[in-house]
DNA sequence: GACATTGATAAGTCATTGCTTACAATAAGC
DNA sequence: GCTTATTGTAAGCAATGACTTATCAATGTC
C-alpha cells in the first residue's frame, strides 16, 4: 500500500522530473510550472501525489509555496530494494515480510 | 521511459507479490495462479509487464513455462536511487559506512 | 487417438489517471 | 483599496490499467 503509492508516484515521467528538479534545489509551484511542459494545476496535482507518497514537503512563503524533497522519502524504496539485493539470501527476508501487502 | 516501465511494474501490489514469490523460488504460471487471488490470464498479463520491465525471465519446460527473477532487473532501480542518495541523504550513507568498521 | 493441463491472447467492463480550462482564495505591490 | 501573482480544487475528457470470461495452440497422460 505504502509501496504502491511510492512506486506509482515515481512511475510518471513528469513526476520524476519534478522530483529531480526539487532534488537539485527547492522551488515554488510556479517555477516548476514554467520549467515543465504542463499547466500549473497539473503541477499541483503531481505535487499532491508526491506529497502523499512522502517524497516531497512544502512550506508556505508568503503567497508562494516552496516545495522540497523529503529527506526520508526514499528510505522505504531502499529498504524494499535491499530485500532482493542479496540474491538467494533474500529468500528468508521475503518470507519474513510476507505479512504486509 | 525505461524507468517508467520499471516503476509502473512495481506499483501494482499483485505484481509485487508475483515478484516476491519468484524471488523466493522460480515457478510456473499455474503455480502463481493457484497462490494468488486472481485468474490465470491476469497472472499472464502481469508477467508480461514484469518481463517488459526486465524484472523476470521465462524458460520453457514442456508444456509449462517457468518464470524466475532477472538477476540484473533491479540494477536500474538502484542506479536511479543512488543518484539521490548522496545529496540530502548523505547522513545515512555515512552512518551505514561507519557502522561497518 | 482422446482427453486433460498449461499458458497466451482476444474482447469487454469498470475504475483510475493525467491532462485541460475555469474558478476561488490568499498574499504582495502599487 | 485594487490589481496582480500564486496556488489549490472542481469538472470534464480521452487514454490507460487491472480485471473478467471465452478461446486456441501446444504439450503431457491414459
Amino acid at each position: 500500500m505504502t509501496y504502491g503509492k511510492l512506486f506509482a508516484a515515481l512511475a510518471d515521467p513528469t513526476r520524476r522530473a519534478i522530483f529531480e528538479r526539487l532534488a537539485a534545489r527547492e522551488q515554488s509551484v510556479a517555477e516548476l510550472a514554467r520549467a515543465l511542459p504542463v499547466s500549473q494545476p497539473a503541477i499541483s496535482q503531481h505535487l499532491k501525489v508526491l506529497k502523499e507518497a512522502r517524497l516531497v514537503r512544502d512550506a508556505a512563503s508568503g503567497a508562494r509555496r516552496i516545495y522540497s524533497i523529503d529527506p526520508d522519502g526514499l528510505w522505504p524504496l531502499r529498504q524494499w530494494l535491499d530485500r532482493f539485493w542479496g540474491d538467494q539470501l533474500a529468500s528468508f527476508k521475503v518470507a519474513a515480510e510476507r505479512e504486509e501487502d
Side-chain angles (χ1 to χ4, degrees), chain A residues 64-84:
Chain A
R64 304 192 298 173
R65 191 153 274 268
I66 307 300
Y67 280 82
S68 57
I69 68 172
D70 189 324
D72 303 334
L74 290 178
W75 185 245
L77 185 60
R78 185 171 192 97
Q79 274 187 309
W80 185 91
L81 188 61
D82 284 345
R83 285 168 53 196
F84 305 100

Side-chain angles (χ1 to χ4, degrees), chain A residues 12-76:
Chain A
D12 184 80
T14 302
R15 232 135 45 199
R16 283 200 308 280
I18 292 175
F19 183 81
E20 292 175 15
R21 280 194 137 259
L22 293 181
R25 64 178 172 81
E26 62 181 23
Q27 51 200 291
S28 69
V29 179
E31 210 166 351
L32 290 166
R34 275 182 235 113
L36 297 173
V38 291
S39 64
Q40 170 266 312
I43 298 290
S44 283
Q45 291 157 14
H46 282 310
L47 286 170
K48 187 179 182 180
V49 174
L50 288 169
K51 190 179 173 183
E52 285 174 356
R54 303 203 170 276
L55 283 167
V56 304
R57 298 178 160 209
D58 61 329
S61 173
R64 304 192 298 173
R65 191 153 274 268
I66 307 300
Y67 280 82
S68 57
I69 68 172
D70 189 324
D72 303 334
L74 290 178
W75 185 245

